[in-house]
Amino acid sequence: MLTCDHPVPPDRYNDRVEEHLRLTGFYHVSQIGVVQCQKALVNALIERWHPNTHTFHLSIGECAVTLEDVALILGLPTDGLPVTGMTMSSFEALEAECLLQFGVAPRKSDCRGSCIKLRWLRDLKENLELTDEISIQSIGGYSWGAACLAHLYRALCRASRFNCKEIDGPLTLLLGWAWIRLPYLSPLPREPRSFSLANSFVYFSQFVWVAYAVDRVDLNIIPAEIYMQSVVWSATVPLVSFECIEWHATDRFRRQFGFVQGVPNQERNLDKAHGKVLTGPKNLNWATAPSHSIWVMHWSNRYNYVLSELPMPS
């Protein structure tokens, strides 16, 4: 049985920063509360996840969490620059970056390796004033939704290994997707129940392929700015977040976008970029690294890889 590490309830932000949250694209996700993790459901989904194809293999076909799900469940921006850049492992580099960004640097006791302890960041939050409007606005120009989905895919790939006993990542997104696509699994006000794939194949015929059709979603609920980025939701592209590269294999589940599913392409081999981790010294720019630059460029050309309708088979 896997152990699901779910985040603790976040501190409620000060009302004065609401405008900044909207500018950066994080306002909608900041309104989501903590969702109680459903271990049995998460385990059942992991059993059906295939790292080679980056899809769930169910009895009715392949499916996956997509950029469309990220946009409509979490409200994160899905179109924009890839979340990538330089990582530096030394304390001196971390100190210089904090001085540049915050005007104050942590002590070595506030860090663990090249990572800052959350305690220091929480203390900083109480005294930091947001004054650089230009820098704040630029944050909204990145595809944070693609980065979020990349980390979910990575968590699923890692958890599907036989020797892995835990999972992290954006589990709220995974659970929301499962409850929308498989509504008979959504929480009900009754006693908890277990879930097993062995006796649930019959229900997969109830999978909701087009979950956000006009007859299922009140368009007045979804803000217009979210739909403005819908052009990239079906793109067959790599998902980028620094060292994390995962494949958005939309050509394998075209039915989730209302298209006819033909024979899918061969699964994409991400080579050395798949499974790369930040352990050990990693002083390099992931945007130009030989193992990653091709995938960053592929994302930059994402509009060329948007799905289009195939001719109906005879």
Side-chain angles (χ1 to χ4, degrees), residues 85-284:
M86 192 77 186
T87 58
M88 295 170 286
S89 300
S90 67
F91 172 76
E92 291 73 19
L94 181 64
E95 184 180 40
E97 185 66 21
C98 288
L99 282 172
L100 176 64
Q101 298 295 337
F102 308 127
V104 60
R107 298 167 298 181
K108 283 195 174 182
S109 59
D110 296 318
C111 302
R112 182 180 292 109
S114 59
C115 301
I116 304 176
K117 296 179 181 179
L118 282 177
R119 182 186 67 248
W120 185 82
L121 291 173
R122 291 194 182 104
D123 294 339
L124 177 67
K125 181 186 69 172
E126 300 299 327
N127 303 305
L128 185 65
E129 293 186 8
L130 299 174
T131 57
D132 193 343
E133 294 288 347
I134 297 178
S135 297
I136 292 172
Q137 291 179 12
S138 66
I139 294 175
Y142 291 87
S143 179
W144 299 106
C148 173
L149 190 57
H151 285 283
L152 176 61
Y153 281 13
R154 167 151 298 188
L156 289 168
C157 289
R158 179 176 177 271
S160 64
R161 301 173 188 168
F162 75 94
N163 59 347
C164 182
K165 302 299 180 183
E166 60 183 10
I167 183 172
D168 55 7
L171 297 182
T172 296
L173 172 62
L174 178 63
L175 291 171
W177 175 86
W179 293 332
I180 291 172
R181 300 288 180 172
L182 297 163
Y184 72 93
L185 294 178
S186 60
L188 296 174
R190 62 182 184 185
E191 291 298 318
R193 56 194 174 92
S194 60
F195 174 70
S196 171
L197 282 173
N199 56 18
S200 299
F201 280 128
V202 63
Y203 295 110
F204 283 127
S205 61
Q206 303 174 16
F207 188 88
V208 180
W209 288 104
V210 185
Y212 310 107
V214 293
D215 60 334
R216 297 184 60 87
V217 176
D218 186 351
L219 297 181
N220 296 321
I221 295 177
I222 308 298
E225 66 267 18
I226 291 180
Y227 282 111
M228 291 174 62
Q229 300 188 344
S230 61
V231 63
V232 301
W233 290 349
S234 67
T236 308
V237 290
L239 304 168
V240 180
S241 178
F242 285 92
E243 86 290 352
C244 182
I245 303 290
E246 301 291 335
W247 191 250
H248 193 229
T250 55
D251 59 307
R252 306 187 73 91
F253 42 84
R254 298 173 62 93
R255 284 182 287 179
Q256 288 187 220
F257 300 98
F259 297 151
V260 175
Q261 179 61 57
V263 177
N265 298 326
Q266 182 73 17
E267 59 265 22
R268 184 59 65 100
N269 181 13
L270 297 175
D271 201 25
K272 295 181 180 179
H274 193 231
K276 186 75 72 173
V277 295
L278 285 178
T279 55
K282 293 288 191 301
N283 298 302
L284 57 95

